[in-house]
Amino acid sequence: MDYILHIFVLVAIYAGSAISLDLIAGRTGLVSLGQAGFHGLGAYTSALLATQAGVPFPISVLAGITVAALISFIISLPSLRLHDDYFIIATFGFQMILFSIFNNWMGLTLGPMGIPGIPQPVIFGWQVDTPLEFLALAAAFACFAYFAVHRITSSPFGRVLHAIREDEVFAKALGKNTLYFKVTAFAVSAALAAMAGSLYAHYITYID
């Protein structure tokens, strides 16, 4: 039974990552290969704050989301001026840079050894320490990601994203600042991926 719950927990966590990718690739038409990098940023930021500074789970997750959003903003300004295959290559390069940092900065991330002793999530006094509770938490994160993306894409902002996906030149002709919309969507997508990564870091320690 625990194995089945473990599979469902992973499905819920990766669903959050998939939803984040859907916002930038499916809704905006920007194929990004950097989502795993943002997933890792959230995971390592949350894990390091929890183990090195004793930061509570909700705050460490918010910190991971913030770091990923800020990094995405920095790299999106030059990257989103590229188009098609060039943008894909740029995001792939960004992900490989992050992978190298995570895997080789032994003094901070401990490289392939991983970060030990990540505490189990505690949310307003509720300690998540059983597979079923982890499933409930992961499902809540996935639902939040889904409704956040749904609200964005069903709003006037989302309709501009759809216009960019279908014909960015036409969207510009209508007076829309397409770079602003793409940068914002990229940041939200990165934040949602980091949120899933933060939960993944705490869960992997639990099953280890």
Side-chain angles (χ1 to χ4, degrees):
M1 185 62 182
D2 283 353
Y3 176 73
I4 299 298
L5 289 174
H6 165 67
I7 296 300
F8 279 115
V9 170
L10 292 181
V11 167
I13 292 174
Y14 286 127
S17 293
I19 291 167
S20 74
L21 181 60
D22 177 59
L23 175 62
I24 190 69
R27 309 293 180 149
T28 315
L30 300 172
V31 179
S32 170
L33 297 182
Q35 291 303 104
F38 296 121
H39 186 97
L41 275 174
Y44 276 101
T45 300
S46 179
L48 289 170
L49 287 175
T51 56
Q52 302 298 324
V55 175
F57 174 74
I59 298 177
S60 68
V61 172
L62 288 175
I65 290 172
T66 303
V67 168
L70 289 176
I71 296 297
S72 75
F73 177 76
I74 293 171
I75 69 163
S76 65
L77 290 178
S79 299
L80 288 173
R81 297 180 186 275
L82 304 174
H83 297 280
D84 301 327
D85 295 345
Y86 299 102
F87 174 74
I88 296 173
I89 293 170
T91 56
F92 179 71
F94 163 73
Q95 177 168 298
M96 294 308 298
I97 290 171
L98 283 181
F99 173 78
S100 296
I101 293 173
F102 296 152
N103 199 48
N104 294 292
W105 194 350
M106 296 296 296
L108 182 66
T109 66
L110 299 182
M113 303 296 292
I115 301 174
I118 303 174
Q120 295 169 346
V122 178
I123 306 173
F124 302 114
W126 170 45
Q127 183 169 355
V128 182
D129 56 4
T130 68
L132 188 59
E133 290 174 338
F134 265 105
L135 177 58
L137 182 60
F141 274 47
C143 288
F144 173 81
Y146 172 79
F147 285 112
V149 171
H150 176 72
R151 289 288 295 174
I152 291 171
T153 54
S154 61
S155 68
F157 184 93
R159 287 193 284 273
V160 176
L161 296 183
H162 293 160
I164 293 172
R165 180 190 63 190
E166 298 302 326
D167 192 337
E168 185 174 353
V169 174
F170 179 70
K172 288 181 178 179
L174 293 177
K176 302 299 181 181
N177 183 353
T178 58
L179 181 61
Y180 162 77
F181 285 92
K182 291 192 293 184
V183 167
T184 304
F186 198 64
V188 174
S189 175
L192 293 176
M195 182 180 70
S198 299
L199 181 58
Y200 182 80
H202 287 266
Y203 179 65
I204 288 302
T205 296
Y206 166 76
I207 62 175
D208 286 345

